Amino acid sequence: MRELMLTTDPVVLSFVQSIMRDAGIEAIVFDQHISIVEGSIGAFPRRLMVPDVSWDEAAGLMREAGLGEWIAGSEKT
């Protein structure tokens, strides 16, 4: 598995999960249950992970959706 994105924004996370689901790419949210510890304040980012072999396709789909800056390792502008 490889990290596709890291975010504290639940809307963006949900949208990207939907894009991956529609494309048939397995996407798993890591750190989802940390909200129990943090008190649901959204301080800790969630990681969206995809299979290594699907990462390039998943990143391409995010770019097509205008979400290229959210790809892990990309510089936000």
Side-chain angles (χ1 to χ4, degrees):
M1 297 296 278
R2 183 171 169 190
E3 182 179 322
L4 179 63
M5 68 177 292
L6 178 70
T7 184
T8 58
D9 188 327
V11 175
V12 173
L13 181 60
S14 178
F15 182 53
V16 174
Q17 284 181 285
S18 176
I19 291 169
M20 297 305 124
R21 187 172 33 255
D22 289 349
I25 297 173
E26 178 186 15
I28 300 172
V29 178
F30 282 18
D31 311 314
Q32 184 170 337
H33 300 292
I34 193 76
S35 63
I36 295 168
V37 176
E38 71 172 347
S40 299
I41 60 173
F44 292 98
R46 279 39 166 191
R47 294 176 289 162
L48 188 65
M49 308 294 285
V50 296
D52 292 337
V53 298
S54 300
W55 193 91
D56 289 332
E57 180 184 1
L61 290 168
M62 285 184 65
R63 286 185 194 96
E64 287 177 17
L67 299 170
E69 73 273 8
W70 290 92
I71 299 170
S74 297
E75 294 294 323
K76 290 193 178 188
T77 56

